[in-house]
Amino acid sequence: MPQIHEGGCHCGAVRFRAANEPVRKAACHCRSCQRRTGSAFGMGAYFNESDVELDGELRTYEHRSDESGRWLKNQFCPKCGSTVTWTLELYPGLRALAVGSFDDPDRLAVSRHVWTRSRHKWFICPPGAQIFEKGSSALPAAG
């Protein structure tokens, strides 16, 4: 029986369901994620797109990286503005779900920190975390 993870936006107009375990879980410290979340970093759980079901209206904002030129498509609830999911050109076939939007976010501990060269200097990555000054490998690995 596969693991089922459920969640949604702040107002409840968008809901999702993801089967199985994520392929990758990461906190991204890039300036784009800082601006997108209004926080120190964004946290995503990356699932195979075929394992994710979305219910509700989403709007899309596409951003191109200043450094790589690759696209990132953020999808958010048009009612409350919560980012729920995104896809990246770097990871075809994967869909990220915002860790904070899960009904039980503690089930998805993040142990990978990427783009730490732009992290807030007061933030210290936890001991044992995988740390990448820039992005990590294009090939999703567990973790």
Side-chain angles (χ1 to χ4, degrees):
M1 185 86 182
Q3 291 281 335
I4 301 296
H5 307 275
E6 296 182 292
C9 68
H10 191 57
C11 74
V14 176
R15 294 290 298 164
F16 63 78
R17 214 177 133 94
N20 302 313
E21 287 303 305
V23 173
R24 173 172 280 172
K25 298 169 285 192
C28 181
H29 298 261
C30 77
R31 290 294 294 142
S32 178
C33 282
Q34 290 171 6
R35 288 184 181 108
R36 175 181 61 80
T37 63
S39 186
F41 46 83
M43 294 193 316
Y46 293 79
F47 291 85
N48 288 313
E49 197 150 17
S50 60
D51 289 342
V52 178
E53 296 174 21
L54 297 165
D55 183 38
E57 180 187 359
L58 288 166
R59 295 269 168 82
T60 301
Y61 172 73
E62 183 175 323
H63 172 75
R64 286 211 175 259
S65 167
D66 296 340
E67 190 159 325
S68 71
R70 289 189 294 253
W71 56 259
L72 164 76
K73 294 179 183 175
N74 291 300
Q75 293 186 290
F76 57 94
C77 173
K79 286 181 74 178
C80 66
S82 299
T83 297
V84 176
T85 184
W86 58 92
T87 55
L88 296 102
E89 185 175 1
L90 180 63
Y91 298 143
L94 295 184
R95 174 170 292 280
L97 296 168
V99 171
S101 66
F102 283 88
D103 293 343
D104 184 4
D106 288 333
R107 287 180 58 197
L108 298 163
V110 171
S111 60
R112 174 184 298 267
H113 290 261
V114 299
W115 291 102
T116 58
R117 74 176 187 193
S118 50
R119 74 172 170 76
H120 289 261
K121 299 308 173 211
W122 52 261
F123 180 82
I124 299 168
C125 294
Q130 293 177 303
I131 299 170
F132 299 87
E133 189 174 292
K134 290 179 148 188
S136 58
S137 71
L139 297 174

